[in-house]
Amino acid sequence: MGGDHAPDEIVKGAVLAVRERGLRVVLVGRRPEIARLLAQEGAAGAIPIAHAEDALAMHEGALASWRRPRSSVAVACKLIRQGEAAALVSAGSTGGVVATSTVRLRTQPGVLRPALAVALPTRPTPTVLLDAGANADAKPEMLVQFAHLGAAYANSAFGVAHPRVGMLTIGSEPGKGNRLARKTAELLAATSAQAPRLDFRGNVEGHDLLAGEVDVVVTDGFTGNVALKSVEGAVRFTLSSVTEALSSSTMAKAGALLQRGALRSLRGRFDSETYGGGVLLGLNGTVVIAHGASHAPAVERACQLAHDLTTGGIADQVRTRVQATARTTWLHRRGQAEEQAGRA
Amino acid sequence: MGGDHAPDEIVKGAVLAVRERGLRVVLVGRRPEIARLLAQEGAAGAIPIAHAEDALAMHEGALASWRRPRSSVAVACKLIRQGEAAALVSAGSTGGVVATSTVRLRTQPGVLRPALAVALPTRPTPTVLLDAGANADAKPEMLVQFAHLGAAYANSAFGVAHPRVGMLTIGSEPGKGNRLARKTAELLAATSAQAPRLDFRGNVEGHDLLAGEVDVVVTDGFTGNVALKSVEGAVRFTLSSVTEALSSSTMAKAGALLQRGALRSLRGRFDSETYGGGVLLGLNGTVVIAHGASHAPAVERACQLAHDLTTGGIADQVRTRVQATARTTWLHRRGQAEEQAGRA
């Protein structure tokens, strides 16, 4: 029921996911409305419906989780808890979905905080940026876990065997950045050699986000959200400046006519990939948050991503990685404390 | 002597600034080398030279200020302290120039920290983003001052009478963001009505950076640097994706030929404006840091900017604004403390 074009486009996307990709989907929301839309698609009875009488509004943020215990997102979480579903896909408000699913699915054992991961449109495989906004204030230990959550994502969804991890900061040399970034880099460097191995490549900067030189970029939710939206805004600004330039003279206009197809497909690629939404990692159940403006094809892709993450075994990977991380981080900290005590 | 194409392009740019714009310039660096380059430009003796035997290397960061007391930047600061120059222009390493000029020029009375400001290529006037990297860890009081430094910049350099100020965070509603952003927004909202008035427009997000809806965007140096480089990287990525798309088919290629001029001028606009370098605000003397890759026209523009800021009276504006800010911020804090004491 969430999204600017819900429930129509969500139902259409679900039908595509079932028909075109053979996925198994349950639609959650107001039964009569959904049944009518399914019938319109010639799919009456083809997709099971779980009734939810309420729905989050697009402007609702974190408090929605408490205000609306019977929202479609809350009911979908219940299906996961009961083992009737493995993943949740929503195009609802990011704040509302994050809050509701965090409260109702809880974090996997050992996970300090869930992180919102977004796939940036690099080639050949996307770069996973996390946290893109779930935690505005974070601690170094959380960011170390985010590195492992992101590695599990790159592996499950995109088949990257040994994901390269970078930490977002403001200089390429070690020791650059604010307090959080400096401590995180130190902790990542110290623990990445231990099992589960992490291919930590050190610092990356804002202009590396789309360079495709790492598979995972780790940062706190404040910086990550600002960086992601800066990228989105700059892409949009550049494309509209290009369009403007291409109609600046008769010659240029004539050229633009010849390229209409190429430019349209480029715009489509950025829309669907850059603005494709995010995945909330670290909960007991996979949560994919599609962009609010999603139409049916984006919903279909979000369902495929949820399926890929689940069959790629992201939950198991996160469990293994996080348990080991907690141990090594703790050992590293204890080692430092003992060293300091020894010196004193 | 600083910059990837120094000293050749720097000298050429200085000659342009003198000949084309009638500015008064002193060149600082190794005298024999500079005199030879001036002679090549047919300008022997036309521009005074201040000898500096040393120079910062492009990879040198903050420590350069201590290591190289006779660098060209250090000598240029000395000219300012002696009242022989009003502003400094360098294409040297940002870290080195920031550190050297902060140590040698000192902050204006009442200024907590200097801030690096960058002008983003919005229309009709640029948007000033600060801090773009001088202070990785900042406090709310510093950010309130940055708002006033940025307003003084927008006014002196671009003639904006009442600059609109936004604070960079991760949501448009008040109360969104990390601890620093939330406290800063509160302080800005509470003090902006007092003299010197600040037209505080509340929160802005990453995608608003190039939207031109505010004249000044305030943030800490970590977030600002990440955001700026994210924008730069995304612009570059999009332009190269456009170029790729425009040669994807014979039709598109034919179109691109007709547009060569329009696209080249667009690329030039982004290069010179987005990557144009920054201004270090709040010191006893104006410091313009041109991009390391600057050629003569960018150096010429940087000299013009230094001139505009100085004749626009930026130093006086900063002094007036900062003195008043210190008072109102302090009053606001005391008011809060008394209120809390009253409640207890």
Side-chain angles (χ1 to χ4, degrees), chain A:
Chain A
M1 304 301 293
D4 302 340
H5 309 295
D8 306 49
E9 292 292 322
I10 311 296
V11 170
K12 280 186 197 167
V15 170
L16 285 174
V18 171
R19 281 191 188 149
E20 306 293 324
R21 307 194 183 229
L23 304 180
R24 292 168 65 202
V25 176
V26 179
L27 283 162
V28 185
R30 281 186 286 272
R31 188 187 299 275
E33 211 171 333
I34 294 175
R36 188 179 50 78
L37 290 165
L38 275 178
Q40 272 177 23
E41 297 297 313
I47 301 182
I49 303 171
H51 181 66
E53 58 199 63
D54 205 358
L56 305 182
M58 285 310 278
H59 64 268
E60 283 184 298
L63 289 175
S65 55
W66 304 103
R67 272 199 216 115
R68 304 201 180 274
R70 286 164 180 194
S71 69
S72 51
V73 175
V75 171
C77 289
K78 199 172 155 197
L79 292 182
I80 292 179
R81 281 209 316 278
Q82 292 172 339
E84 289 173 39
L88 181 166
V89 173
S90 172
S93 102
T94 303
V97 177
V98 167
T100 305
S101 51
T102 303
V103 167
R104 290 176 186 271
L105 294 178
R106 304 272 174 81
T107 51
Q108 281 188 253
V111 171
L112 298 166
R113 291 287 175 84
L116 189 63
V118 169
L120 300 168
T122 52
R123 299 277 166 99
T125 51
T127 299
V128 175
L129 171 73
L130 82 170
D131 176 14
N135 310 281
D137 292 294
K139 294 198 186 315
E141 287 82 357
M142 294 176 196
L143 267 63
V144 170
Q145 286 199 342
F146 294 171
H148 286 280
L149 295 178
Y153 181 173
N155 182 281
S156 326
F158 311 126
V160 182
H162 301 288
R164 300 158 298 172
V165 176
M167 195 202 56
L168 186 60
T169 182
I170 61 169
S172 49
E173 312 85 28
K176 287 277 184 173
N178 59 10
R179 256 174 246 121
L180 175 64
R182 292 197 308 269
K183 285 196 183 170
T184 303
E186 189 194 303
L187 219 49
L188 277 171
T191 60
S192 60
Q194 297 148 32
R197 254 200 102 253
L198 199 70
D199 187 2
F200 180 53
R201 299 290 179 103
N203 295 352
V204 296
E205 298 189 70
H207 47 236
D208 300 321
L209 288 176
L210 298 171
E213 277 160 24
V214 292
D215 302 296
V216 177
V217 175
V218 174
T219 186
D220 64 281
F222 185 81
T223 310
N225 191 280
V226 167
L228 177 69
K229 287 179 179 163
S230 298
V231 165
E232 289 177 352
V235 167
R236 214 152 38 206
F237 179 79
T238 312
L239 284 178
S240 72
S241 303
V242 167
T243 309
E244 203 183 293
L246 295 192
S247 51
S248 63
S249 71
T250 319
M251 285 257 287
K253 246 183 244 175
L257 274 178
L258 297 172
Q259 298 156 340
R260 199 176 279 174
L263 286 175
R264 193 179 300 143
S265 87
L266 181 69
R267 208 177 279 265
R269 181 181 146 208
F270 280 122
D271 273 359
S272 64
E273 292 180 285
T274 314
Y275 314 141
V279 176
L280 193 61
L281 299 171
L283 298 180
N284 294 304
T286 297
V287 178
V288 174
I289 308 174
H291 195 274
S294 292
H295 283 96
V299 174
E300 180 192 351
R301 270 195 306 273
C303 292
Q304 182 69 52
L305 176 57
H307 176 264
D308 292 347
L309 286 164
T310 308
T311 53
I314 190 159
D316 284 346
Q317 287 197 39
V318 166
R319 184 167 39 246
T320 319
R321 283 178 166 276
V322 161
Q323 282 173 358
T325 317
R327 201 165 54 238
T328 53
T329 308
W330 179 80
L331 280 174
H332 175 69
R333 287 265 148 141
R334 204 176 73 152
Q336 281 191 321
E338 278 172 4
E339 207 177 292
Q340 278 172 359
R343 258 192 245 127

Side-chain angles (χ1 to χ4, degrees), chain B residues 173-213:
Chain B
E173 312 85 27
K176 286 278 184 173
N178 59 9
R179 256 175 245 119
L180 175 64
R182 292 197 308 268
K183 284 197 184 170
T184 304
E186 188 194 305
L187 219 49
L188 278 170
T191 61
S192 60
Q194 296 149 33
R197 253 201 104 252
L198 198 70
D199 187 2
F200 179 52
R201 299 291 178 104
N203 295 351
V204 296
E205 299 189 70
H207 48 237
D208 300 323
L209 289 175
L210 297 170
E213 277 160 24

